[in-house]
Amino acid sequence: MRTVSSSISLIRTAGFALLLGLLAACSAARPPLNSEMIAERFGSYGLEIINQTADRRITNLFSGDPNQRVTRTLAVVRFRQPVAADLSASHRKILQGESLGATLKAAGWTVEKDTLDVRTVTSGGSLAEMMRVEPGKPLAVHLYRLSAVSDNKRLPYAQIAEVHHPDHLTVLDLQRIYGDEVAASPLASGPLSGLWKTLQESLRLL
């Protein structure tokens, strides 16, 4: 059963293109959360859990009202097990339907992303309908590790694959924001291989 978060942001600004430019120009800048970028560019943000188990989650990050929403990011999450004790309270809220990055941030953590790769998949079937794009459209994919960081702790929390609507983030946008961090690891090895496989399986189940 799908769950829609009760909290929808209604932040509106005109500076999204400027934001990307500033992030590209300053490698030390920490990119905003994806939920923040969606709210900023499209004027609203909502979250729907499509599927969830103890260690996996498929999430629809959308803009627009619930009746005419457009998927801006499909996020496939693999939670690190066991979850660190310091993150247990935030993790419970996330499993109850709250936004992952925003929940960690609200609890005082800094969210850090270590990029594994930037790739593409082809839209089709349900995903094309959710994004309101034609089937066969190439979609940018950001694969990364996410950690919660404080002054004296760095706690790995999840591996995430995000498939982005072409009006939200393209491969070029991701390369501009995260390009210097992209790991040289081949797709067939390590965490990247497992995360990519999980993404492919999740797309087939939509």
Side-chain angles (χ1 to χ4, degrees):
M1 181 176 180
R2 297 187 177 188
T3 302
V4 178
S5 171
S6 60
S7 60
I8 297 180
S9 174
L10 295 175
I11 302 169
R12 291 184 179 274
T13 72
F16 188 80
L18 176 60
L19 172 64
L20 289 182
L22 289 173
L23 289 173
C26 180
S27 59
R30 189 181 306 280
L33 301 176
N34 188 35
S35 56
E36 295 170 340
M37 288 194 285
I38 291 172
E40 183 169 358
R41 182 161 198 179
F42 302 103
S44 64
Y45 164 74
L47 179 149
E48 173 194 27
I49 296 176
I50 296 174
N51 184 269
Q52 181 173 272
T53 64
D55 62 347
R56 305 280 176 91
R57 182 161 95 163
I58 304 174
T59 309
N60 173 14
L61 283 65
F62 62 88
S63 64
D65 64 65
N67 295 321
Q68 295 185 337
R69 60 187 180 217
V70 178
T71 296
R72 300 302 177 181
T73 297
L74 182 82
V76 176
V77 180
R78 303 197 330 174
F79 296 110
R80 182 184 177 93
Q81 298 292 332
V83 175
D86 288 353
L87 300 178
S88 59
S90 295
H91 185 61
R92 284 193 296 271
K93 292 180 180 180
I94 290 166
L95 292 182
Q96 291 167 1
E98 296 301 314
S99 182
L100 192 154
T103 299
L104 293 174
K105 186 175 179 179
W109 296 95
T110 296
V111 174
E112 288 195 355
K113 301 178 182 181
D114 296 316
T115 297
L116 295 168
D117 209 351
V118 172
R119 296 190 159 260
T120 61
V121 294
T122 301
S123 65
S126 297
L127 183 57
E129 293 180 9
M130 291 165 62
M131 290 190 170
R132 300 178 185 262
V133 298
E134 65 273 19
K137 186 85 171 176
L139 306 172
V141 182
H142 186 204
L143 301 111
Y144 61 93
R145 300 184 189 93
L146 184 144
S147 299
V149 180
S150 66
D151 291 339
N152 57 359
K153 293 182 181 179
R154 179 183 177 88
L155 303 177
Y157 180 60
Q159 296 174 4
I160 302 177
E162 292 180 336
V163 184
H164 297 295
H165 189 289
D167 290 342
H168 176 38
L169 290 169
T170 64
V171 167
L172 180 58
D173 292 330
L174 292 172
Q175 289 172 341
R176 290 168 62 193
I177 298 172
Y178 302 104
D180 291 341
E181 304 171 11
V182 175
S185 303
L187 182 63
S189 68
L192 181 56
S193 176
L195 181 57
W196 182 257
K197 181 179 179 181
T198 300
L199 172 63
Q200 297 292 329
E201 292 172 346
S202 299
L203 292 176
R204 287 194 291 270
L205 292 174
L206 287 181

